[in-house]
Structure formats: structure tokens, C-alpha cells
Amino acid sequence: GENVEQHPSTLSVQEGDSAVIKCTYSDSASNYFPWYKQELGKGPQLIIDIRSNVGEKKDQRIAVTLNKTAKHFSLHITETQPEDSAVYFCAAQWAGSQGNLIFGKGTKLSVKP
Amino acid sequence: SAVISQKPSRDICQRGTSLTIQCQVDSQVTMMFWYRQQPGQSLTLIATANQGSEATYESGFVIDKFPISRPNLTFSTLTVSNMSPEDSSIYLCSVSDSPSGNTIYFGEGSWLTVV
């Protein structure tokens, strides 16, 4: 089955710097890759997603890139702010598995003011 | 995106008891799912809640332990039966309005502690 690895497990940056979180997946049939932000005491919030027919997607300060050949995808946050501090999860889903997202173990991002 | 409400938001439960979690969505959705997030861990799919029929369970999860109902397109329940401390987790209702089951949104979760 699918396996998703996420790095780093913790990341600390200064406010204004960029943050990059990387994930790799094992199943080449996976075709959907969302990213979630989970703040303390809350449920995961979908912040951006990408499908396998697209190489990059941006939404303001957030971007996701996908390399299908290498089977990895990354989240890029620019101009980080203290409110970006949270746990970020990547996930992968293959075409035949409706709703079954396989999650990475998460990255705890701390943005220092 | 749909607004997902879960009840209870938090509870402390006695070992051996059962608890039913309710999930209400503010609009009709194609698919509803239940995930579990153990303390400090990632998320794992328990089952897909099917309207009017038995839920589809993932490997490692069984109906006797996690009975699920979905009477209509906006409501589902998950029961955690005969609880033990190992069941202490966040239980998350999630929905998708995509036929492919993509674009999944999560509720705020029900935080259960079993003592």
C-alpha cells in the first residue's frame, strides 16, 4: 500500500523567512496530494492541494510543487508569520481509494517573531 | 466548503463504556468519512460512512468496535464501543463533495480520553 514520508518533523524559522516541507510517496498510482494545517486543539484545515497532472500550484504565500518522476512533493511558505505556526501534514491518495488519504507524520513549524 | 459540526467536542470516558459521536454537515455531501488521530500522531482512516448501508471499514477497524450510521446526506454517527485507554484519540468527521473522494474537509474533532 501507499506510504508517505514527511521531513522535517520540526522546523523553526524567523518571521519573514521561507519554510519548506518535503514529502515522498511510494505508490505511483497516487494522483492527489493535499496539505493540511492543524493548529493546537483544532481539526486539520485544508490549505492547498495538487493533482498529478499539475507540477506547481500557488495560493498567495503558499505553493506546492510535485515531481511525479521522483514521487515527491513539497510545501513552500514564503514570508512566514507567527500565525503560520502549526503542525502541517501532507497526504497522498490513489485513484481507486475514495477518501482514503495516507498522511505523513507531520511537521511542527514554529515561526519566531 | 461545508461546515462540519461534531458533538461532543471533548469527553472523558470510563473504561468499558461506549460513546457515540455525532457529525452534522450544513449541506448535503457525497461522501463522509471517520478518521482517528492518536495523541501526537498522524491521521488514519477508520471507515467510509455509506448512506443507508453498512460502512466500509479499513484494515484494522471492525464494525463491532466502531459501529457507524449514516441515515442521510448530512449526518453520521461513530460509536466507540467498550473503550480502553488505547482508544484515547481525536475522532474526526470528514466530508467530500467530489465524486472521486478528493478535496476532503475535516471537522474540529472529538477529543476522547479514556480513564
Side-chain angles (χ1 to χ4, degrees), chain A residues 67-84:
Chain A
N67 183 326
K68 287 175 56 180
T69 304
K71 290 191 281 189
H72 67 70
F73 56 112
S74 300
L75 178 71
H76 304 254
I77 306 174
T78 58
E79 301 173 23
T80 53
Q81 302 167 3
E83 49 266 39
D84 293 329

Side-chain angles (χ1 to χ4, degrees), chain B residues 9-114:
Chain B
S9 57
R10 195 177 291 269
D11 208 342
I12 299 174
C13 308
Q14 295 296 319
R15 186 191 304 245
T17 63
S18 298
L19 182 78
T20 296
I21 302 166
Q22 298 180 358
C23 176
Q24 179 72 55
V25 190
D26 69 342
S27 60
Q28 294 185 346
V29 291
T30 307
M31 308 189 76
M32 295 182 76
F33 313 96
W34 288 96
Y35 276 78
R36 181 175 74 181
Q37 186 176 24
Q38 294 178 300
Q41 302 296 314
S42 190
L43 292 83
T44 302
L45 180 64
I46 297 172
T48 300
N50 300 309
Q51 187 206 355
S53 65
E54 193 171 288
T56 305
Y57 290 85
E58 297 300 312
S59 176
F61 298 97
V62 295
I63 187 171
D64 289 348
K65 177 67 176 177
F66 298 102
I68 289 170
S69 77
R70 189 181 174 190
N72 56 51
L73 293 176
T74 64
F75 185 79
S76 178
T77 66
L78 167 74
T79 299
V80 186
S81 303
N82 188 23
M83 287 185 283
S84 66
E86 293 71 37
D87 294 319
S88 297
S89 292
I90 307 168
Y91 292 88
L92 293 149
C93 175
S94 61
V95 305
S96 173
D97 205 27
S98 163
S100 63
N102 292 162
T103 318
I104 295 173
Y105 299 98
F106 286 85
E108 294 295 345
S110 297
W111 299 57
L112 303 188
T113 302
V114 184

Side-chain angles (χ1 to χ4, degrees), chain A residues 3-39:
Chain A
N3 182 51
V4 176
E5 296 199 358
Q6 182 172 348
H7 299 281
S9 57
T10 60
L11 179 60
S12 182
V13 300
Q14 285 296 131
E15 181 177 0
D17 288 350
S18 296
V20 180
I21 303 170
K22 299 181 179 181
C23 289
T24 60
Y25 61 99
S26 60
D27 191 341
S28 57
S30 291
N31 63 355
Y32 176 65
F33 307 93
W35 286 88
Y36 290 87
K37 174 184 180 182
Q38 188 173 30
E39 297 177 6

